[in-house]
Amino acid sequence: MNESFGARLRARLDACGPLCVGIDPSPALLSAWGLDDSPLGLERFSRSVVEAVGDVAAVVKPQSAFYERWGSRGIAVLERTIAALREAGTLVVLDVKRGDIDSTMAAYAEAYLDRGSPLAADAVTLSPYLGFESLAGAIASAVANDAGVFVLARTSNPEAAPLQRLVADQVVAGATAANKGHFPFGPVGLVMGATLPELEHSPADLNGPILAPGLGAQGATPADVARLFGPVRHAVVPSVSRAVLADPKRLRSRTITLRDECAALLGVVAQK
Ligand SMILES: O=C(O)c1cc(=O)[nH]c(=O)n1[C@@H]1O[C@H](COP(=O)(O)O)[C@@H](O)[C@H]1O
């Protein structure tokens, strides 16, 4: 039997320390790297990120939107990027933020979670706004494929607060129920921004990982991560894109510095 996503993530966090590096090949970053905004530019950017951080970041999160911009040629680069990340040994969270009725979700699950799919990742980001229950099929597919999902609970952008505040308790409760009985983590993680002023919806009983984007460009610091997520310190995966991607020469060193700072402030120990 294969290892569950929860077991693989736990092992990776224990080995590398707590950090997810996003691959967000925006036109601005491609230009800063001296690359063309083209599928070839995307490919070079993505390959460089895999080489620079694939062995030091517990998780890497390609942002699908920046590949989708280029249609089928961009998706082909995304497929190769996912394959290269898997080869490098890191875990791949594909950021697609999908959420739809159950029959459509089944197709998304086939695309992103089915082991045989060229876009299959270790986990995907999902949106719960068609109802947490609409994600049940995708969660079942994640379990069947030893994969995971990260469901948006409280995102890092401040304008989300009035809407998400109304439903985040339902999202936390749905994820907590889906994770019951799984060890060390269940298949359902939550997204909770590192930029949040406070955690209004406690993930203490989640029994799953928490992806916390917003480090750096959106203003959050490792100290914010520690303050917010101290009670669930072993489950939090802080996530950063632009702040480490800004300079290709310092990408690896900035990743290691940020990762080690998060580990120290969270009081978790990485083995390497
Ligand atoms: O799901 C995400 O990763 C995500 C959730 C969230 O609440 N906020 C958020 O910024 N993200 C993503 O995380 C990345 C953040 O990039 P930086 O602001 O450059 O670190 C982008 O790809 C966003 O789409």
Side-chain angles (χ1 to χ4, degrees):
M1 200 178 132
N2 292 319
E3 257 192 320
S4 69
F5 170 67
R8 296 201 311 281
L9 179 61
R10 182 70 274 155
R12 194 77 194 152
L13 289 171
D14 290 346
C16 295
L19 193 68
C20 167
V21 171
I23 309 185
D24 293 48
S26 64
L29 281 175
L30 290 168
S31 162
W33 284 40
L35 295 170
D36 287 343
D37 188 1
S38 68
L40 186 61
L42 283 185
E43 182 110 46
R44 291 198 168 136
F45 185 97
S46 305
R47 190 155 295 177
S48 298
V49 180
V50 176
E51 280 166 14
V53 308
D55 62 333
V56 291
V59 179
V60 175
K61 181 175 71 70
Q63 170 53 264
S64 180
F66 292 115
Y67 298 88
E68 291 175 38
R69 289 192 308 131
W70 282 96
S72 58
R73 288 180 298 161
I75 298 297
V77 176
L78 179 58
E79 290 179 4
R80 290 194 287 276
T81 301
I82 292 171
L85 287 167
R86 287 180 173 281
E87 183 78 9
T90 190
L91 293 186
V92 187
V93 174
L94 183 57
D95 196 355
V96 283
K97 296 191 181 67
R98 299 299 198 247
D100 212 313
I101 61 168
D102 57 358
S103 50
T104 305
M105 275 318 291
Y108 281 134
E110 215 179 302
Y112 302 123
L113 297 169
D114 257 26
R115 239 183 238 115
S117 165
L119 286 170
D122 293 290
V124 282
T125 53
L126 297 182
S127 162
Y129 300 113
L130 272 75
F132 193 88
E133 271 306 301
S134 68
L135 306 180
I139 293 170
S141 168
V143 173
N145 288 285
D146 299 308
V149 302
F150 285 90
V151 184
L152 305 180
R154 287 296 303 270
T155 57
S156 62
N157 53 325
E159 67 273 22
L163 173 75
Q164 293 177 352
R165 188 172 279 135
L166 301 176
V167 294
D169 281 336
Q170 282 184 52
V171 177
V172 175
T176 303
N179 287 336
K180 282 239 152 52
H182 289 272
F183 180 83
F185 284 141
V188 185
L190 293 175
V191 177
M192 290 185 155
T195 52
L196 294 170
E198 57 180 320
L199 273 196
E200 294 170 41
H201 317 271
S202 170
D205 298 325
L206 176 65
N207 186 32
I210 299 159
L211 185 70
L215 273 182
Q218 296 179 51
T221 64
D224 292 324
V225 171
R227 174 180 54 79
L228 279 170
F229 299 105
V232 284
R233 64 187 66 227
H234 293 287
V236 70
V237 188
S239 186
V240 62
S241 302
R242 283 167 291 181
V244 295
L245 297 173
D247 178 356
K249 292 197 185 70
R250 297 170 64 199
L251 169 53
R252 184 176 174 85
S253 61
R254 279 187 180 175
T255 296
I256 293 171
T257 302
L258 200 53
R259 177 197 74 175
D260 292 349
E261 216 178 320
C262 287
L265 287 165
L266 284 164
V268 296
V269 181
Q271 290 155 9
K272 66 178 181 192

